[in-house]
Amino acid sequence: MARRPTRAERNRNKIIMWWGAAILLGVFAWNQGRVELWILPILVIAYYELCAVPTLCGVETSRGHPCKNQAYGRLIACKDQPSHAVYKNDALLRMLGFRRPPRQVSAPAPGPHDRTATELPMEPQVATIESKQTLITLLTVVGTIAGVVQVFLAAKN
């Protein structure tokens, strides 16, 4: 009886598949000799980084630590905390220059035996995204736009 692959093995296989697809498309574009075909590997790598890469959620919680739950894609939040998707969307819009009022991170409801919650009211904090995640997302978007523009300019000449 065959054993089931672990999450790490599945993630490794996904990474190999995506990079293999990008390399194959790059080889195809190289062999065809047509500059406009280079847009295919560029878009595959951009889609992989933004929507499919196995990563951590990265939404900084009310305690100030990034969420360590599994997520797929730098734009996608974890499935364990539904509110994290809203925070990631807001961070992306802020990165693109659209300003919304920041949403507050909601703390879990205090339990009946939680004395600190009744003694010291917590101030709501603004949720943010881990800076490394934001930087890689920004570089991916800028690099993709630059690559697509370069391909179109080269194809015109």
Side-chain angles (χ1 to χ4, degrees):
M1 187 170 186
R3 70 174 182 86
R4 295 177 68 187
T6 65
R7 178 183 291 184
E9 290 171 338
R10 286 191 310 263
N11 286 346
R12 186 191 66 227
N13 292 341
K14 285 180 186 178
I15 291 168
I16 290 170
M17 180 196 69
W18 278 102
W19 281 103
I23 290 168
L24 284 175
L25 288 171
V27 168
F28 174 73
W30 180 273
N31 287 336
Q32 293 298 315
R34 297 179 56 197
V35 176
E36 58 271 9
L37 289 178
W38 282 100
I39 200 165
L40 296 173
I42 291 171
L43 293 177
V44 165
I45 291 171
Y47 179 81
Y48 169 73
E49 284 294 327
L50 297 176
C51 302
V53 66
T55 187
L56 300 178
C57 178
V59 173
E60 292 188 4
T61 61
S62 58
R63 294 186 181 133
H65 302 289
C67 176
K68 300 291 185 191
N69 293 330
Q70 183 76 25
Y72 291 98
R74 306 209 185 273
L75 300 180
I76 312 298
C78 64
K79 306 270 191 259
D80 298 337
Q81 300 291 327
S83 63
H84 287 184
V86 174
Y87 301 133
K88 275 215 165 176
N89 290 340
D90 286 351
L92 176 65
L93 290 173
R94 280 194 312 270
M95 186 174 61
L96 296 174
F98 298 104
R99 299 289 178 212
R100 279 180 158 178
R103 299 178 195 269
Q104 303 299 321
V105 177
S106 57
H113 303 295
D114 191 7
R115 281 193 230 152
T116 57
T118 56
E119 293 171 6
L120 299 171
M122 288 181 55
E123 287 187 28
Q125 298 176 1
V126 177
T128 59
I129 305 298
E130 189 179 19
S131 59
K132 179 175 61 173
Q133 293 260 0
T134 305
L135 176 66
I136 293 172
T137 303
L138 180 65
L139 290 175
T140 301
V141 169
V142 169
T144 302
I145 291 171
V148 168
V149 168
Q150 181 65 29
V151 166
F152 281 121
L153 291 176
K156 279 188 166 184
N157 293 333

